Short mmCIF file of all heavy atoms in Angstrom, two decimals:
data_model
loop_
_atom_site.label_atom_id
_atom_site.label_comp_id
_atom_site.label_asym_id
_atom_site.label_seq_id
_atom_site.Cartn_x
_atom_site.Cartn_y
_atom_site.Cartn_z
N ILE A 136 2.31 7.32 5.05
CA ILE A 136 2.94 6.23 5.80
C ILE A 136 3.28 5.07 4.87
O ILE A 136 4.36 4.47 4.96
CB ILE A 136 2.01 5.76 6.94
CG1 ILE A 136 1.88 6.85 7.99
CG2 ILE A 136 2.54 4.47 7.58
CD1 ILE A 136 0.85 6.55 9.06
N PHE A 137 2.38 4.76 3.93
CA PHE A 137 2.66 3.71 2.96
C PHE A 137 3.86 4.09 2.09
O PHE A 137 4.73 3.26 1.82
CB PHE A 137 1.44 3.45 2.08
CG PHE A 137 1.75 2.61 0.87
CD1 PHE A 137 2.07 1.26 1.03
CD2 PHE A 137 1.75 3.15 -0.40
CE1 PHE A 137 2.37 0.47 -0.08
CE2 PHE A 137 2.06 2.37 -1.50
CZ PHE A 137 2.37 1.03 -1.34
N PHE A 138 3.90 5.34 1.66
CA PHE A 138 4.97 5.82 0.79
C PHE A 138 6.32 5.69 1.48
O PHE A 138 7.29 5.15 0.92
CB PHE A 138 4.69 7.28 0.41
CG PHE A 138 5.70 7.89 -0.51
CD1 PHE A 138 5.90 7.39 -1.79
CD2 PHE A 138 6.45 8.98 -0.12
CE1 PHE A 138 6.83 7.95 -2.64
CE2 PHE A 138 7.37 9.55 -0.96
CZ PHE A 138 7.56 9.04 -2.24
N VAL A 139 6.39 6.15 2.72
CA VAL A 139 7.65 6.10 3.46
C VAL A 139 7.99 4.67 3.87
O VAL A 139 9.10 4.18 3.65
CB VAL A 139 7.59 7.01 4.70
CG1 VAL A 139 8.85 6.85 5.55
CG2 VAL A 139 7.43 8.46 4.29
N GLY A 140 7.00 3.98 4.48
CA GLY A 140 7.24 2.62 4.95
C GLY A 140 7.57 1.67 3.81
O GLY A 140 8.49 0.84 3.92
N GLY A 141 6.82 1.78 2.71
CA GLY A 141 7.08 0.93 1.56
C GLY A 141 8.45 1.17 0.96
O GLY A 141 9.14 0.23 0.54
N SER A 142 8.87 2.44 0.93
CA SER A 142 10.20 2.77 0.39
C SER A 142 11.30 2.18 1.27
O SER A 142 12.29 1.62 0.77
CB SER A 142 10.37 4.29 0.30
OG SER A 142 9.44 4.85 -0.61
N LEU A 143 11.14 2.30 2.59
CA LEU A 143 12.14 1.75 3.51
C LEU A 143 12.23 0.24 3.37
O LEU A 143 13.33 -0.33 3.38
CB LEU A 143 11.79 2.14 4.95
CG LEU A 143 11.94 3.62 5.31
CD1 LEU A 143 11.42 3.89 6.71
CD2 LEU A 143 13.40 4.07 5.19
N GLU A 144 11.08 -0.42 3.25
CA GLU A 144 11.08 -1.87 3.09
C GLU A 144 11.71 -2.29 1.76
O GLU A 144 12.39 -3.32 1.69
CB GLU A 144 9.65 -2.41 3.19
CG GLU A 144 9.09 -2.33 4.60
CD GLU A 144 7.66 -2.80 4.68
OE1 GLU A 144 6.95 -2.76 3.65
OE2 GLU A 144 7.22 -3.21 5.77
N THR A 145 11.47 -1.49 0.73
CA THR A 145 12.04 -1.80 -0.58
C THR A 145 13.57 -1.73 -0.55
O THR A 145 14.26 -2.57 -1.15
CB THR A 145 11.49 -0.84 -1.65
OG1 THR A 145 10.07 -1.00 -1.74
CG2 THR A 145 12.11 -1.12 -3.01
N TYR A 146 14.09 -0.74 0.16
CA TYR A 146 15.55 -0.55 0.20
C TYR A 146 16.23 -1.41 1.28
O TYR A 146 17.45 -1.48 1.32
CB TYR A 146 15.87 0.92 0.44
CG TYR A 146 15.36 1.83 -0.65
CD1 TYR A 146 14.88 3.11 -0.35
CD2 TYR A 146 15.34 1.41 -1.96
CE1 TYR A 146 14.39 3.94 -1.36
CE2 TYR A 146 14.84 2.23 -2.97
CZ TYR A 146 14.37 3.49 -2.67
OH TYR A 146 13.91 4.30 -3.65
N TYR A 147 15.42 -2.06 2.12
CA TYR A 147 15.97 -2.90 3.18
C TYR A 147 16.67 -4.12 2.58
O TYR A 147 16.11 -4.83 1.74
CB TYR A 147 14.85 -3.34 4.12
CG TYR A 147 15.29 -4.24 5.25
CD1 TYR A 147 16.03 -3.74 6.31
CD2 TYR A 147 14.96 -5.59 5.25
CE1 TYR A 147 16.43 -4.57 7.35
CE2 TYR A 147 15.36 -6.42 6.28
CZ TYR A 147 16.09 -5.90 7.33
OH TYR A 147 16.50 -6.72 8.35
N LYS A 148 17.90 -4.37 3.02
CA LYS A 148 18.68 -5.53 2.56
C LYS A 148 18.76 -5.57 1.03
O LYS A 148 18.59 -6.62 0.39
CB LYS A 148 18.06 -6.83 3.08
CG LYS A 148 18.04 -6.98 4.59
CD LYS A 148 19.39 -7.38 5.14
CE LYS A 148 19.31 -7.70 6.62
NZ LYS A 148 20.61 -8.10 7.19
N ARG A 149 19.05 -4.42 0.42
CA ARG A 149 19.08 -4.35 -1.04
C ARG A 149 20.11 -5.28 -1.65
O ARG A 149 19.88 -5.86 -2.71
CB ARG A 149 19.36 -2.91 -1.47
CG ARG A 149 18.20 -1.95 -1.29
CD ARG A 149 18.57 -0.56 -1.75
NE ARG A 149 18.99 -0.56 -3.13
CZ ARG A 149 19.70 0.42 -3.69
NH1 ARG A 149 20.09 1.45 -2.97
NH2 ARG A 149 20.02 0.36 -4.97
N GLN A 150 21.26 -5.41 -0.99
CA GLN A 150 22.31 -6.27 -1.55
C GLN A 150 21.85 -7.72 -1.61
O GLN A 150 22.10 -8.43 -2.59
CB GLN A 150 23.58 -6.14 -0.72
CG GLN A 150 24.25 -4.76 -0.85
CD GLN A 150 25.55 -4.68 -0.07
OE1 GLN A 150 25.79 -5.46 0.84
NE2 GLN A 150 26.41 -3.73 -0.44
N LYS A 152 18.72 -8.74 -1.75
CA LYS A 152 17.67 -8.82 -2.78
C LYS A 152 18.29 -8.84 -4.17
O LYS A 152 17.80 -9.54 -5.07
CB LYS A 152 16.70 -7.64 -2.64
CG LYS A 152 15.84 -7.70 -1.39
CD LYS A 152 14.96 -6.46 -1.27
CE LYS A 152 14.14 -6.49 0.02
NZ LYS A 152 13.34 -5.27 0.18
N VAL A 157 15.70 -10.17 -6.95
CA VAL A 157 14.34 -9.69 -6.71
C VAL A 157 14.29 -8.19 -6.42
O VAL A 157 13.23 -7.66 -6.06
CB VAL A 157 13.69 -10.46 -5.53
CG1 VAL A 157 13.54 -11.92 -5.87
CG2 VAL A 157 14.50 -10.28 -4.24
N GLU A 158 15.41 -7.49 -6.59
CA GLU A 158 15.41 -6.06 -6.30
C GLU A 158 14.52 -5.32 -7.30
O GLU A 158 14.53 -5.63 -8.50
CB GLU A 158 16.83 -5.49 -6.37
CG GLU A 158 16.91 -4.02 -5.96
CD GLU A 158 18.33 -3.49 -5.98
OE1 GLU A 158 19.23 -4.19 -6.48
OE2 GLU A 158 18.53 -2.36 -5.51
N GLN A 159 13.75 -4.36 -6.79
CA GLN A 159 12.81 -3.62 -7.62
C GLN A 159 13.54 -2.71 -8.60
O GLN A 159 14.56 -2.12 -8.29
CB GLN A 159 11.89 -2.77 -6.73
CG GLN A 159 10.91 -3.57 -5.91
CD GLN A 159 9.74 -4.09 -6.72
OE1 GLN A 159 9.47 -3.62 -7.83
NE2 GLN A 159 9.03 -5.07 -6.19
N ARG A 162 10.70 2.83 -10.46
CA ARG A 162 9.23 2.92 -10.36
C ARG A 162 8.70 3.95 -11.34
O ARG A 162 9.29 5.02 -11.52
CB ARG A 162 8.82 3.31 -8.93
CG ARG A 162 9.35 2.38 -7.84
CD ARG A 162 8.79 0.98 -7.97
NE ARG A 162 9.29 0.08 -6.95
CZ ARG A 162 8.70 -0.13 -5.79
NH1 ARG A 162 7.60 0.52 -5.48
NH2 ARG A 162 9.21 -0.98 -4.93
N ASN A 170 -0.86 1.00 -6.85
CA ASN A 170 -0.95 0.99 -5.39
C ASN A 170 -1.84 2.09 -4.82
O ASN A 170 -2.40 1.94 -3.73
CB ASN A 170 0.45 1.09 -4.78
CG ASN A 170 1.24 -0.19 -4.91
OD1 ASN A 170 0.87 -1.21 -4.36
ND2 ASN A 170 2.33 -0.14 -5.67
N ILE A 197 -5.32 1.13 1.15
CA ILE A 197 -3.91 1.38 1.45
C ILE A 197 -3.36 0.32 2.40
O ILE A 197 -2.19 -0.06 2.30
CB ILE A 197 -3.73 2.80 2.04
CG1 ILE A 197 -4.19 3.84 1.01
CG2 ILE A 197 -2.27 3.06 2.42
CD1 ILE A 197 -4.32 5.24 1.55
N ALA A 198 -4.21 -0.17 3.31
CA ALA A 198 -3.79 -1.27 4.18
C ALA A 198 -3.45 -2.51 3.36
O ALA A 198 -2.49 -3.23 3.67
CB ALA A 198 -4.90 -1.60 5.18
N THR A 199 -4.21 -2.75 2.30
CA THR A 199 -3.91 -3.87 1.40
C THR A 199 -2.57 -3.66 0.71
O THR A 199 -1.75 -4.59 0.63
CB THR A 199 -5.02 -4.02 0.34
OG1 THR A 199 -6.27 -4.26 0.99
CG2 THR A 199 -4.70 -5.16 -0.62
N ALA A 200 -2.34 -2.45 0.21
CA ALA A 200 -1.07 -2.15 -0.46
C ALA A 200 0.10 -2.29 0.49
O ALA A 200 1.16 -2.84 0.13
CB ALA A 200 -1.12 -0.74 -1.04
N MET A 201 -0.08 -1.83 1.73
CA MET A 201 0.99 -1.93 2.72
C MET A 201 1.24 -3.38 3.11
O MET A 201 2.39 -3.81 3.27
CB MET A 201 0.63 -1.11 3.96
CG MET A 201 1.75 -0.95 4.97
SD MET A 201 2.98 0.26 4.46
CE MET A 201 4.48 -0.71 4.53
N ALA A 202 0.17 -4.15 3.26
CA ALA A 202 0.30 -5.57 3.60
C ALA A 202 1.06 -6.31 2.51
O ALA A 202 1.96 -7.12 2.78
CB ALA A 202 -1.08 -6.20 3.81
N ASP A 203 0.71 -6.04 1.26
CA ASP A 203 1.35 -6.71 0.13
C ASP A 203 2.82 -6.33 0.03
O ASP A 203 3.69 -7.18 -0.19
CB ASP A 203 0.62 -6.36 -1.17
CG ASP A 203 1.27 -6.99 -2.38
OD1 ASP A 203 1.47 -8.22 -2.38
OD2 ASP A 203 1.60 -6.26 -3.33
N THR A 204 3.11 -5.03 0.18
CA THR A 204 4.50 -4.57 0.11
C THR A 204 5.34 -5.17 1.22
O THR A 204 6.46 -5.62 1.00
CB THR A 204 4.56 -3.03 0.17
OG1 THR A 204 3.83 -2.48 -0.93
CG2 THR A 204 6.00 -2.53 0.12
N SER A 205 4.79 -5.18 2.43
CA SER A 205 5.52 -5.74 3.58
C SER A 205 5.77 -7.23 3.39
O SER A 205 6.87 -7.73 3.64
CB SER A 205 4.74 -5.51 4.87
OG SER A 205 4.57 -4.14 5.13
N ALA A 206 4.74 -7.95 2.95
CA ALA A 206 4.88 -9.39 2.73
C ALA A 206 5.92 -9.69 1.67
O ALA A 206 6.71 -10.64 1.79
CB ALA A 206 3.53 -9.99 2.34
N THR A 207 5.93 -8.87 0.61
CA THR A 207 6.86 -9.10 -0.50
C THR A 207 8.28 -8.71 -0.12
O THR A 207 9.21 -9.52 -0.21
CB THR A 207 6.42 -8.30 -1.74
OG1 THR A 207 5.11 -8.71 -2.13
CG2 THR A 207 7.39 -8.52 -2.89
N GLU A 208 8.46 -7.45 0.29
CA GLU A 208 9.81 -6.93 0.50
C GLU A 208 10.49 -7.56 1.71
O GLU A 208 11.70 -7.82 1.68
CB GLU A 208 9.76 -5.41 0.65
CG GLU A 208 9.27 -4.67 -0.57
CD GLU A 208 10.17 -4.85 -1.78
OE1 GLU A 208 11.36 -5.18 -1.59
OE2 GLU A 208 9.68 -4.67 -2.91
N MET A 209 9.76 -7.78 2.77
CA MET A 209 10.34 -8.38 3.97
C MET A 209 10.33 -9.91 3.90
O MET A 209 11.24 -10.57 4.39
CB MET A 209 9.61 -7.90 5.21
CG MET A 209 9.57 -6.38 5.36
SD MET A 209 11.22 -5.63 5.39
CE MET A 209 11.77 -6.12 7.02
N GLY A 210 9.27 -10.45 3.28
CA GLY A 210 9.19 -11.90 3.13
C GLY A 210 10.29 -12.46 2.26
O GLY A 210 10.79 -13.58 2.50
N GLN A 211 10.72 -11.70 1.25
CA GLN A 211 11.80 -12.16 0.38
C GLN A 211 13.12 -12.25 1.14
O GLN A 211 13.97 -13.08 0.80
CB GLN A 211 11.95 -11.21 -0.81
CG GLN A 211 10.83 -11.34 -1.82
CD GLN A 211 10.88 -10.26 -2.89
OE1 GLN A 211 11.62 -9.27 -2.77
NE2 GLN A 211 10.12 -10.44 -3.95
N VAL A 212 13.27 -11.43 2.15
CA VAL A 212 14.52 -11.42 2.92
C VAL A 212 14.48 -12.47 4.03
O VAL A 212 15.45 -13.21 4.23
CB VAL A 212 14.75 -10.02 3.53
CG1 VAL A 212 15.96 -10.03 4.46
CG2 VAL A 212 14.95 -8.99 2.42
N TRP A 213 13.37 -12.54 4.76
CA TRP A 213 13.30 -13.38 5.95
C TRP A 213 12.47 -14.65 5.75
O TRP A 213 12.53 -15.56 6.58
CB TRP A 213 12.71 -12.58 7.11
CG TRP A 213 13.58 -11.44 7.52
CD1 TRP A 213 13.35 -10.11 7.29
CD2 TRP A 213 14.82 -11.51 8.22
NE1 TRP A 213 14.37 -9.35 7.79
CE2 TRP A 213 15.29 -10.18 8.38
CE3 TRP A 213 15.59 -12.55 8.73
CZ2 TRP A 213 16.48 -9.88 9.02
CZ3 TRP A 213 16.78 -12.26 9.37
CH2 TRP A 213 17.22 -10.94 9.52
N GLU A 237 6.49 -16.37 7.24
CA GLU A 237 7.02 -15.07 7.67
C GLU A 237 6.34 -13.94 6.92
O GLU A 237 6.06 -12.88 7.49
CB GLU A 237 8.53 -15.03 7.46
CG GLU A 237 9.33 -16.01 8.30
CD GLU A 237 9.35 -17.43 7.74
OE1 GLU A 237 8.80 -17.65 6.64
OE2 GLU A 237 9.92 -18.32 8.40
N GLY A 238 6.07 -14.16 5.64
CA GLY A 238 5.39 -13.15 4.84
C GLY A 238 4.00 -12.84 5.35
O GLY A 238 3.54 -11.70 5.33
N LEU A 240 3.04 -12.92 8.45
CA LEU A 240 3.20 -12.07 9.63
C LEU A 240 3.51 -10.63 9.23
O LEU A 240 2.98 -9.68 9.81
CB LEU A 240 4.31 -12.62 10.53
CG LEU A 240 4.03 -13.98 11.18
CD1 LEU A 240 5.25 -14.45 11.96
CD2 LEU A 240 2.81 -13.90 12.09
N PHE A 241 4.38 -10.47 8.23
CA PHE A 241 4.70 -9.12 7.76
C PHE A 241 3.48 -8.46 7.12
O PHE A 241 3.29 -7.24 7.23
CB PHE A 241 5.87 -9.15 6.79
CG PHE A 241 7.21 -9.33 7.44
CD1 PHE A 241 7.99 -10.45 7.20
CD2 PHE A 241 7.70 -8.36 8.32
CE1 PHE A 241 9.22 -10.60 7.81
CE2 PHE A 241 8.93 -8.51 8.94
CZ PHE A 241 9.69 -9.64 8.69
N ALA A 242 2.65 -9.24 6.45
CA ALA A 242 1.42 -8.70 5.86
C ALA A 242 0.49 -8.17 6.95
O ALA A 242 -0.07 -7.07 6.82
CB ALA A 242 0.71 -9.78 5.04
N LEU A 243 0.32 -8.95 8.02
CA LEU A 243 -0.51 -8.49 9.14
C LEU A 243 0.08 -7.23 9.76
O LEU A 243 -0.66 -6.30 10.13
CB LEU A 243 -0.61 -9.59 10.19
CG LEU A 243 -1.55 -10.75 9.86
CD1 LEU A 243 -1.36 -11.89 10.85
CD2 LEU A 243 -3.00 -10.28 9.85
N PHE A 244 1.40 -7.19 9.89
CA PHE A 244 2.07 -6.02 10.45
C PHE A 244 1.81 -4.78 9.58
O PHE A 244 1.45 -3.71 10.09
CB PHE A 244 3.57 -6.28 10.55
CG PHE A 244 4.38 -5.09 10.98
CD1 PHE A 244 4.35 -4.64 12.29
CD2 PHE A 244 5.17 -4.40 10.06
CE1 PHE A 244 5.09 -3.53 12.68
CE2 PHE A 244 5.91 -3.31 10.43
CZ PHE A 244 5.87 -2.87 11.75
N GLY A 245 1.96 -4.93 8.26
CA GLY A 245 1.74 -3.79 7.36
C GLY A 245 0.32 -3.29 7.40
O GLY A 245 0.07 -2.08 7.46
N SER A 246 -0.64 -4.21 7.41
CA SER A 246 -2.04 -3.81 7.46
C SER A 246 -2.38 -3.14 8.78
O SER A 246 -3.17 -2.18 8.83
CB SER A 246 -2.93 -5.04 7.25
OG SER A 246 -4.29 -4.68 7.18
N THR A 247 -1.76 -3.61 9.86
CA THR A 247 -2.01 -3.03 11.19
C THR A 247 -1.55 -1.58 11.25
O THR A 247 -2.25 -0.73 11.81
CB THR A 247 -1.29 -3.86 12.27
OG1 THR A 247 -1.79 -5.19 12.26
CG2 THR A 247 -1.50 -3.24 13.65
N ILE A 248 -0.38 -1.30 10.69
CA ILE A 248 0.17 0.05 10.74
C ILE A 248 -0.81 1.06 10.12
O ILE A 248 -1.06 2.13 10.69
CB ILE A 248 1.52 0.11 10.00
CG1 ILE A 248 2.58 -0.66 10.77
CG2 ILE A 248 1.97 1.56 9.79
CD1 ILE A 248 3.91 -0.76 10.03
N ILE A 249 -1.35 0.71 8.96
CA ILE A 249 -2.27 1.63 8.28
C ILE A 249 -3.63 1.67 8.98
O ILE A 249 -4.20 2.74 9.21
CB ILE A 249 -2.45 1.22 6.81
CG1 ILE A 249 -1.10 1.24 6.07
CG2 ILE A 249 -3.45 2.15 6.12
CD1 ILE A 249 -0.42 2.59 6.04
#
Side-chain angles (χ1 to χ4, degrees):
I136 292 173
F137 167 70
F138 182 62
V139 174
S142 297
L143 291 173
E144 289 177 336
T145 299
Y146 299 144
Y147 179 72
K148 297 282 187 180
R149 286 180 58 199
Q150 291 183 340
K152 291 176 183 177
V157 296
E158 185 178 10
Q159 291 283 343
R162 304 296 179 92
N170 286 296
I197 298 168
T199 300
M201 189 76 236
D203 178 53
T204 299
S205 298
T207 300
E208 297 297 338
M209 304 303 287
Q211 288 171 348
V212 174
W213 296 107
E237 295 81 4
L240 294 176
F241 283 117
L243 284 169
F244 174 73
S246 185
T247 299
I248 291 174
I249 300 299

